[in-house]
Structures are given as C-alpha cells and as structure tokens.
C-alpha cells in the first residue's frame, strides 16, 4: 500500500510553491497567532501562512525562488517571537529529541516559578490576614508594619517569576503591539507599584499618600498570586497540550529499530535506517515487519491493527504486500523491501497526521478575527474602568479603581479562544490515525460532520474488488473450455478486475492462453481483441448489440446470473455469440454493519456502480441499501455528474472509492474518502484515507468528526461566554448588588481555569471509540455518557467554587 500525500490539490497561486514548517516560540494566546501570521504574509513570495498555537508551529506556502527560511525567521523575530533553529534532514530524529528536551527544561523552569509564586503568595496572604501570628506583638504585629516584609517577599516573584511576562510585554511594545503578557504585566505592575508606594511613601509610611486613602491597602498578595495562578495555568495547559500530540509519538514508536536481512544466504541484523530497496528481510514470529514490501516466501498472519484499526490478523503469502511496523503474529516469512525510509506507509502516515494537526478548521476563523482586536479593546475597557471608579466610585476610590482595573486586565485573556480549535483538531486527527482513518486537516475534519449523503463505489469498496469466475455457459455449437480460453486470452490485455478473474479462472483450469493482438478497451462496455487469428469480444450486451451480434439465446441465462449478484459477460467469437461468463465479487466483511451504522448516523447511503441494474440491485439488497438509492450502469466519466446531481439537491456528499476512475468524483465531493488499499491517484484526490480496506472507517470518520466539532463548539462557547460574562463582572457591574468587587486573585484563577478547561475538554476526545453496532451510534455506551457528564460536572463545580470564594470573601 502506498500513501501519497497531496499537500495542495488546488493552488490558487500560479507560481511554483513549496511548503515549509517552522517551530515558533514565545506565543501565548490567539492574538500572538494572528500577529505571526500577518508578519509571515507580508514576506515577498509567501502565498499563505497558518500558525497553530497548540503545536507552536507555523506552516508557510511560499515560492522558493522569492523567499527562504531565513527571510521567514527574520519576519517572525521582527514581530517579537522566536524560531527554533533548523536541523539537518539526516539528523531529524535527533533534532526532535533535542526539541523535546528543550521543552522539558522549559516546563521544569515554569514549574519552579509556579511553585515559588504560589508558596510566597500563601505566606503573603497569611501576613495580610494574620500578621500577629507570624510577626508577634507590636511594633511588628500590625498589618502596616508587615508591609516591608511583604515587599521583600514579593519583589523576587514580581521580577523573577514574572520575568516571562515582562520580556514578552517589552518585545511586543517595541513593535507597537499587545499580547496577553501586556495585560498581565500592566496589571501586576500596577498592583505591585501601588503597594510599593503605600509601603514607603503612603500615609502608613509617614508621608500621607494619595489624599483620600487614610488606611490604604497593599496588593502584594494579589500581584504574586496572579503571577502564580497564571503560571500554574500555563504549566497545566502546556502539559495537557503535550498529551494532545501523543498520537504522533505513538506512531513513531511503532517503527522497529533493526531488521534481519538475508544476504548471500546469511541472516544479518541491520538498522532499519540502513535498509535498501530490494533487500530480502526475514520476519520471525512475534517480530515487527521492518519496512514495506512484498512477501516472496512463507506464510503468516500479520496484525495490522496499529495502522489500519482492523482487529483481526491478516493472512499473508507470496505476492501479498506487508506494511512496516505491523506485527507478525504467527509463522515466518521473507519479504522484499519495496519502500524504505521516508517513503514507507508509516512515515507518510506520520507526516500526514503532523500536517493535519498543524492545520486549522474553518470554524477557527471567528476566534482569530475576534482575538486580532481583543487586547486593545480590553486595555480600553480597563482605562474606562479606572476612570469611572476613580471619578464617581465610592471610597476608597483609588483602591477600588485599582482592584477593578487589575481584575479586568487579568481576567480578559484570549488563550482559551486560541486553543479551542487546534487542541481538538490535534486530538481528533490523532485519534483517527489510531483507528486507521487519516484525515488530511482541520477543514476535512470539520467538513465530515456536515455530510448528509454517502456515495459508495461498489467494486473494491463494498465488495472485495477481487472477483472470481463462477459460471460458464457456452452457446450452442461452442466448446466451454475453448470459449473460456479465447475470452481469457483476449482479457490478458485488460486491467479491469473482471478481466483478472476470467484470466485467473482459465489458468486455474489449466488452459494455455495465447497473446492477444489488436487489443482495444471500450470504456464502460468491454474489450475487443484478436486471438490466434479469431476476432473476440468480451463485454456487456450493448457492446455485442452495437456490433450486430444476436445474444437473445443467452439473455435469460445472463439475467438469472445477474439476479444472483453475479456479473455476466457475453463472449462473441468471429461475429457469433459464443457464451456468457459469470463473475462474482464477494461483499467485504463488515460492509453490512457499516452501512447500517451510516444509516443510523442519519446519512443517506447510495451505491454507485457500472454493473447492470439487476446485479447492482442484488448487491444492494444484500448489504441493506434501498433500491431507489442504487446508481447502476454508470460509466467512469459519469461518476462526477452523479455526485454533482446529489449536491444540487442540497446534500453535502461524501464519495467513497478506491480506483483511478473514482478520483474526479472524490475531488468533486464535499468529502472524498479513499480506501487505502486502492490507487495512489484516488488517495491524492481524497480528504480522508482509510488505511484498511473496510467501510467501518467511514463510520469512524463521520462519528469522530461530529464529536470533534461538538467539542470545538463547546470550547468556543466556554471561551466566549467566559469573557462576555466575566469582563463586566470584573468591571464591577455587580457591585451595587453585592457591595464587593471581583478579587484580582480570583480573576487570575478564573482565567487559568478557562484555558485548562478548554484543553481538558479536547483531551476527552482521547476516549473516543468507533461505534461497535448501529445502536451505539444513537445510544452511546454508558461509559461515554459518564465521561461527558463528569466533565460538565467538573466545570460547574469549579465555577461554583470560584463564586463561593468570592461571596465568602465579601462576607
């Protein structure tokens, strides 16, 4: 099986383009994503750019003659962000390891800063509420006498633990831009700076400060706990985001490290990276297949579930293809390597999943547009909040104005909006890969949930695609073996599956075949050839009728065969009807159940085939497709028209096929699904590739898409609702009713909770399991429902907890 990745089926830019991916550092929220994308888009030669916050990578489509990676790096750095250095291609694995180690160090430092901030915050809160317990009797027991101690404790946290915020704030400010760190830096600096003023220059310090604030409070605890909680949120978020990329690490981990190569009769252990095309590789029981190849000797059962999602081992013998990284369950065999290195199915799957995880779903555009102007709006709201509270607010005006302003700055973080879609897409595409469903990106993942009609190509999709000769009825005066020999000899020039079945049937009967001459393939009808000087036609009734050949004596027999779901093929020799052959293609295991599940998903299931109506109706009845949903006698060039006809009815159509003649229909459909055992052209034209050959993958793709889009919508709802509801609360709209403001520390906790809840919600997709039966589609197992309810209960409990702490604080 070959998986060829088509990076861009339709290129709007006429210039030659290439695609480049870079790891970007320093991004913290959705506004950062927009800023990096705009910076890259301004570079000459860049056709399109997409930045993913969850993967921290930028994907750029560019003209290599006009720009280079160095130009892109300069643009990113000019925007205030960084790019990790590129590594030589031959050292890609080591580069990945170094990048992972670097991220681990960053995570450890973030953890240290978080712990230090929260620990100091706890001490400062004790000093605020119970100074006499920690400092003893006067003169060191009063709260105001504890301010210098609090200053000493808070200062290292403000400038060491909070250094990442200051750094990002300064870089953005140099470019006249704002980020989430702008909000945190301004908010915590205001709290810290005001506290320093009160400590050393305020009335409590002996100089009378700020006029109307005779008992001015300090906000050291608020500044440190804000830093601590935001760092905690980032740490939890970073850890969770690392888990969303587990699918790629699991796929990479499937690859074996060594192979047993047979050379000069000797078996030698060789690193897989050193394998060459044509090498003979021995696989013993319990070992993994080293690379892709074709079995030349031996038989075995191979477990391909890690790549295809199919649970049953597949029997392999001489001539069968094997996929690298699959597990040899029993028996021993030798295969010849046909693809090595980055050309193997596993390497292409990893590459495809990585590209999909770095892509964007269209639904993300709304969040991107909002985040582009979100932070400047928040700064304006913070300034308005300060002005209103300072001018018309109740005493103490400065304290109230400062508290409300800081709360607005801290609570209004667009992180959740930036993470809502990419984290779900990462987990969803990774989960699809685990079940043998390769989704080419966020757009395909989102599109699948809109599908309302599924068109299934019969041969190779519903059926095995490997028909066998089952019946032979000669016309009067013709010998059956001679008729079959002539038909099979003529069909040797055809690549059609029916031709292969006829040839294999003749050879299975020991018939010697002649080479055909003057071979002609007549699309949608059959073939014509000359065999040993005799003119031979093999095809449907229309072909023979068009040549003036009477087939009436064979029509009843052909009709009877078609009613039994067998495909009849008429044979004519030297202008006379010589007989009718019957070829049957068996239904794939699982097709019946998969079609029932598709119907349970509310999808309109159609079958498309070039077979005559009787044969098509028989197969449709066997698999549960309604007779009025059968499109029979469709020529290869007409498949696109049939898909377009359904689309004109207002249906979003998914086309499922595996052949070269399916590629145009796959490209025209709203969602193209290619069977992975089919041709490269079909897979290149598709949006989804099923690594296995079964239709259950279509069910998995649609069900997974619906779950993923549902998760994205939940994430966006939480992200938008959080800001819409809590920014006014932070501004103080509830003060007339509660007589209290939102504590900045609670604002920081709520902000951290919003980001963590979005990532956690996306991680629930890791528990996705394809429906086992049609009933599971409409009635998910209890375990699935319990996970859903438990998450909602957790979010509700967290929200109620924040509210309870707020009201307890006021009481």
């Amino acid at each position: 099986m070959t998986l060829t990745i088509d990076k861009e089926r339709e290129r709007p830019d006429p210039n030659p383009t290439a695609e480049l991916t870079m790891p970007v550092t320093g991004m913290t929220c959705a506004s950062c994503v927009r800023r990096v994308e705009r910076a890259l888009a301004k570079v000459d030669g860049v056709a399109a750019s997409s930045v993913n916050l969850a993967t921290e990578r930028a994907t750029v489509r560019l003209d290599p003659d006009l720009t280079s990676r160095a130009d892109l790096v300069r643009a990113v750095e000019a925007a205030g962000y960084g790019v990790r250095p590129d590594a030589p291609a031959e050292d890609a694995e080591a580069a990945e390891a170094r990048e992972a180690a670097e991220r681990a160090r960053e995570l450890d430092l973030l953890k240290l800063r978080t712990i230090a901030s929260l620990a100091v915050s706890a001490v400062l809160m004790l000093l605020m509420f119970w100074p006499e317990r920690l400092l003893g009797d006067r003169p060191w027991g009063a709260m105001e006498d504890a301010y210098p101690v609090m200053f000493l404790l808070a200062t290292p946290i403000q400038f060491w633990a909070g250094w990442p915020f200051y750094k990002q704030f300064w870089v953005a400010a140099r470019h006249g831009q704002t980020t989430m760190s702008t909000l945190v830096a301004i908010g915590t600096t205001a709290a810290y700076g005001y506290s320093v003023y009160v400590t050393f220059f305020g009335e409590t310090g002996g100089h009378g400060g700020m006029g109307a604030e005779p008992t001015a409070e300090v906000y050291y605890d608020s500044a440190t706990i804000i830093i601590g909680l935001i760092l905690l949120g980032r740490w939890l978020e970073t850890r969770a985001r690392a888990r969303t990329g587990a699918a790629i690490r699991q796929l990479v981990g499937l690859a074996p490290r060594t192979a047993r190569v047979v050379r000069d009769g000797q078996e030698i252990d060789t690193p897989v990276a050193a394998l060459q095309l044509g090498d003979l590789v021995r696989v013993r029981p319990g070992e993994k297949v080293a690379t892709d190849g074709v079995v030349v000797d031996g038989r075995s059962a191979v477990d391909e579930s890690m790549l295809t999602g199919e649970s049953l081992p597949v029997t392999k013998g001489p001539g069968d293809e094997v996929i690298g990284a699959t597990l040899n369950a029993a028996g021993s065999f030798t295969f010849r390597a046909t693809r090595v290195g980055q050309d193997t199915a596993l390497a292409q799957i990893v590459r495809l999943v990585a590209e999909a995880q770095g892509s964007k779903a269209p639904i993300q555009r709304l969040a991107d547009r909002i985040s582009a102007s979100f932070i400047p709006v928040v700064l304006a709201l913070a300034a308005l909040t300060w002005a209103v509270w300072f001018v018309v607010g109740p005493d103490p005006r400065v304290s109230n104005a400062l508290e409300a302003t800081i709360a607005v700055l801290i609570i209004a973080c667009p992180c959740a909006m930036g993470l809502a879609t990419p984290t779900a897409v990462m987990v969803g595409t990774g989960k699809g890969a685990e079940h043998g469903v390769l989704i080419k990106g966020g757009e395909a993942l989102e599109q699948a949930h809109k599908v309302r009609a599924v068109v299934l190509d019969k041969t190779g999709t519903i059926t095995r695609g490997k028909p066998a000769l089952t019946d032979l009825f000669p016309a009067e005066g013709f010998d059956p073996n001679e008729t079959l020999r002539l038909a099979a000899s003529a069909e040797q020039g055809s690549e059609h599956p029916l031709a292969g079945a006829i040839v294999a049937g003749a050879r299975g009967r020991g018939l010697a075949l002649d080479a055909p001459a003057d071979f002609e393939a007549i699309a949608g009808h059959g073939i014509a050839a000359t065999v040993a000087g005799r003119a031979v036609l093999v095809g449907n009734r229309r072909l023979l009728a068009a040549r003036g050949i009477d087939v009436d004596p064979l029509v009843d027999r052909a009709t009877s065969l078609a009613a039994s779901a067998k495909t009849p093929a008429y044979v004519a020799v030297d202008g006379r009807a010589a007989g009718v052959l019957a070829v049957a293609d068996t239904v794939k295991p699982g097709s019946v159940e998969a079609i029932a599940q598709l119907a349970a998903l509310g999808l309109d299931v159609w079958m498309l085939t070039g077979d005559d109506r009787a044969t098509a109706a028989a197969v449709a009845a066997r698999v549960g497709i309604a007779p009025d949903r059968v499109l029979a006698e469709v020529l290869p060039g007409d498949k696109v028209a049939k898909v377009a006809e359904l689309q004109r009815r207002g249906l979003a159509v998914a086309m499922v096929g595996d052949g070269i003649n399916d590629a145009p229909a796959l490209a025209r459909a709203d969602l193209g699904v290619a069977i992975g055992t089919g041709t490269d052209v079909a897979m290149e034209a598709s949006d989804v590739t099923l690594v296995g050959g079964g239709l259950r993958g279509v069910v998995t793709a649609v069900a997974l898409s619906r779950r993923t889009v549902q998760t994205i919508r939940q994430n966006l709802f939480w992200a938008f609702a959080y800001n819409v509801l809590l920014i006014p609360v932070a501004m103080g709209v509830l003060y007339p009713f509660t007589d209290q403001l939102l504590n900045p520390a609670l604002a920081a906790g709520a902000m951290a909770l919003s980001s963590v809840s979005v990532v956690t919600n996306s991680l629930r997709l890791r528990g996705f399991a394809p429906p086992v039966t049609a009933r599971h589609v409409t009635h998910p197992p209890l375990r699935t429902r319990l996970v859903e309810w438990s998450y909602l209960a957790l979010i509700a409990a967290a929200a109620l907890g924040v509210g309870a702490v707020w009201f307890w604080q006021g009481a």
Side-chain angles (χ1 to χ4, degrees):
M1 180 187 68
T2 303
L3 297 177
T4 302
I5 299 170
D6 180 38
K7 297 186 184 296
E8 197 74 29
R9 274 190 287 160
E10 297 180 4
R11 300 186 187 276
D13 191 334
N15 295 322
T17 57
E19 195 168 84
L20 186 148
T21 301
M22 304 185 302
V24 179
T25 61
M27 295 188 298
T28 58
C29 62
S31 60
C32 297
V33 170
R34 293 286 294 174
R35 194 164 293 110
V36 175
E37 286 180 341
R38 285 199 299 266
L40 290 170
K42 292 178 182 178
V43 178
D44 289 339
V46 171
S49 64
S50 176
V51 178
N52 189 304
L53 179 60
T55 59
E56 296 181 314
R57 293 191 184 283
T59 302
V60 184
R61 193 155 51 84
L62 53 88
D63 184 342
D65 294 332
L66 297 178
T67 190
S68 64
R69 187 180 192 276
D71 298 325
L72 301 178
V73 170
R74 282 192 292 271
V76 172
E77 291 176 344
Y81 302 89
V83 178
R84 287 192 175 92
D86 202 2
E90 65 273 10
D91 200 23
E93 187 172 341
E96 183 69 26
R98 284 195 298 271
E99 186 174 330
E102 182 181 340
R103 290 190 178 188
R105 286 193 297 271
E106 292 173 358
L107 195 61
D108 289 342
L109 181 58
L110 183 59
K111 180 180 179 181
L112 178 61
R113 285 188 162 121
T114 301
I115 293 174
S117 300
L118 294 178
V120 170
S121 298
V123 175
L124 291 175
M125 291 182 71
L126 289 174
L127 285 170
M128 286 291 294
F129 291 104
W130 298 290
E132 68 281 356
R133 298 284 182 88
L134 297 180
L135 301 177
D137 297 333
R138 282 184 177 276
W140 295 102
M143 182 184 295
E144 58 268 24
D145 293 327
Y147 288 175
V149 177
M150 298 171 76
F151 165 78
L152 292 174
L153 290 171
T155 299
I157 299 303
Q158 184 69 36
F159 297 105
W160 171 71
W163 171 245
F165 303 117
Y166 283 109
K167 179 181 177 182
Q168 292 158 5
F169 163 71
W170 174 244
V171 170
R174 284 172 49 205
H175 297 86
Q177 299 167 346
T178 57
T179 68
M180 171 207 159
S181 295
T182 304
L183 304 180
V184 178
I186 293 175
T188 58
T189 301
Y192 175 81
Y194 176 74
S195 301
V196 171
Y197 177 86
V198 170
T199 300
F200 297 106
F201 306 104
E203 184 170 307
T204 57
H207 299 284
M210 307 298 287
E213 302 281 350
T215 56
E217 293 184 15
V218 293
Y219 290 93
Y220 290 119
D221 59 328
S222 295
T224 56
I225 201 169
I226 286 169
I227 290 173
L229 288 174
I230 293 176
L231 290 175
L232 175 63
R234 282 195 182 181
W235 179 65
L236 293 173
E237 174 193 311
T238 303
R239 285 188 64 201
R241 278 159 53 185
R243 293 172 62 194
T244 63
I248 289 181
R249 291 191 295 274
Q250 290 173 359
L251 286 170
V252 173
L254 292 175
R257 300 299 178 190
T258 60
R260 188 173 292 270
V261 180
V262 180
R263 289 176 182 162
D264 300 327
Q266 301 292 321
E267 295 184 3
I268 306 169
D269 285 336
T270 303
V272 169
L275 284 177
Q276 299 178 359
L277 291 177
D279 278 345
L280 291 176
V281 182
R282 169 77 67 183
V283 184
R284 296 177 298 184
E287 292 182 340
K288 287 185 176 181
V289 178
T291 190
D292 298 356
V294 176
V295 177
V296 296
D297 181 52
R299 289 187 176 273
S300 183
V302 178
D303 180 1
E304 298 181 343
S305 60
M306 63 284 295
L307 292 181
T308 67
E310 299 292 340
S311 57
L312 296 177
V314 181
T315 302
K316 301 290 184 179
D320 291 331
E321 290 189 356
V322 289
I323 307 173
T326 54
L327 182 64
N328 182 27
S332 177
F333 62 90
T334 302
F335 72 93
R336 187 177 302 279
T338 57
R339 284 179 293 275
V340 296
Q342 295 302 307
D343 295 327
T344 64
L346 177 62
Q348 294 189 64
I349 288 171
V350 169
R351 196 156 58 244
L352 182 59
V353 173
E355 290 177 2
Q357 291 190 339
S359 67
K360 282 189 178 182
I363 199 172
Q364 175 69 18
R365 293 168 188 159
L366 174 62
D368 287 347
R369 286 196 300 268
I370 292 176
S371 63
S373 55
F374 186 78
I375 292 179
V377 171
V378 170
L379 290 173
L381 290 175
L384 176 63
T385 301
W386 168 269
V388 171
W389 279 98
F390 187 76
V391 174
V392 299
D395 290 331
R397 293 185 182 183
V398 173
S399 293
N400 286 341
L402 184 66
E403 188 170 353
T405 302
I406 293 171
V408 170
L409 290 170
I410 296 305
I411 208 165
C413 172
C415 287
M417 285 188 284
L419 294 169
T421 299
T423 52
V425 170
M426 283 183 70
V427 181
T429 52
K431 199 65 187 177
E434 289 181 21
H435 294 285
V437 178
L438 303 181
I439 302 169
K440 288 192 175 179
E443 185 171 355
L445 188 65
E446 183 178 339
Q447 186 65 31
H449 96 283
K450 301 177 182 177
V451 168
R452 292 295 174 266
V454 178
V455 178
L456 306 175
D457 182 62
K458 180 184 79 71
T459 304
T461 302
I462 295 176
T463 62
R464 291 182 182 274
K466 295 182 179 179
L469 180 67
T470 58
D471 301 274
L472 168 61
F473 295 96
E476 185 176 352
F478 283 87
D479 177 73
N481 285 339
E482 179 63 12
T483 300
L484 176 59
R485 189 186 72 83
L486 291 171
S489 297
E491 289 283 16
Q492 287 183 104
S494 173
E495 296 181 356
H496 195 281
L498 299 185
I502 294 172
V503 172
R507 287 175 174 167
R509 300 186 186 193
L511 302 178
L513 305 184
D514 295 324
D518 303 324
F519 177 84
E520 179 187 5
I522 306 166
H525 295 283
I527 61 100
T530 301
V531 178
R534 307 185 70 178
V536 179
L537 291 174
V538 183
N540 56 27
R541 183 179 179 181
R542 284 177 292 178
L543 172 64
L544 272 65
R547 302 294 177 100
I549 299 172
D550 180 20
V551 294
D552 288 345
L554 301 173
V555 169
D556 289 343
R557 178 68 67 179
T559 302
S560 174
L561 292 170
S564 302
K566 297 177 182 179
T567 302
Y570 293 94
V571 181
V573 178
D574 293 331
R576 295 174 54 204
V580 61
L581 308 174
V583 175
D585 185 10
T586 57
V587 173
K588 287 182 180 180
S591 288
V592 175
E593 184 62 42
I595 290 171
Q597 290 175 347
L598 290 171
L601 283 168
L603 302 176
D604 202 2
V605 183
W606 296 71
M607 186 181 79
L608 185 151
T609 178
D611 292 344
D612 60 73
R613 296 187 182 280
T615 302
V619 175
R622 185 182 302 176
V623 298
I625 295 177
D628 61 344
R629 295 293 183 267
V630 177
L631 304 173
E633 300 179 3
V634 179
L635 297 177
D638 294 337
K639 292 184 178 182
V640 173
K642 294 297 182 181
V643 171
E645 181 181 334
L646 292 175
Q647 289 174 325
R648 283 194 294 271
R649 299 183 190 180
L651 297 173
V653 179
M655 172 69 193
V656 186
D658 74 329
I660 290 177
N661 56 24
D662 296 326
L666 290 171
R668 172 58 192 256
D670 298 280
L671 184 76
V673 182
I675 300 295
T677 51
T679 64
D680 293 347
V681 175
M683 287 183 280
E684 288 175 2
S686 68
D687 303 296
V688 176
T689 298
L690 309 181
V691 180
L695 281 179
R696 289 184 184 273
V698 183
V699 180
T700 300
V702 175
L704 178 61
S705 170
R706 291 183 178 182
R707 276 284 303 278
T708 303
V709 172
Q710 179 188 37
T711 300
I712 290 172
R713 287 174 174 167
Q714 290 171 349
N715 288 348
L716 289 174
F717 170 79
W718 287 118
F720 287 124
Y722 163 84
N723 284 291
V724 169
L725 293 176
L726 292 188
I727 289 179
V729 171
M731 294 176 71
V733 296
L734 296 182
Y735 185 86
F737 309 101
T738 62
D739 199 31
Q740 60 179 309
L741 293 170
L742 181 63
N743 189 301
L746 287 179
M751 188 274 284
L753 176 65
S754 70
S755 297
V756 174
S757 65
V758 162
V759 178
T760 304
N761 192 34
S762 297
L763 285 174
R764 289 191 307 114
L765 283 169
R766 296 181 69 187
F768 170 83
V772 178
T773 65
R775 176 175 171 77
H776 281 168
V777 172
T778 53
H779 298 80
L782 179 61
R783 175 179 172 273
T784 301
R785 285 176 285 169
L786 286 176
V787 170
E788 185 82 22
W789 295 338
S790 63
Y791 173 77
L792 295 176
L794 179 63
I795 293 297
L800 289 174
V802 172
V805 171
W806 183 25
F807 284 107
W808 171 80
Q809 171 200 4

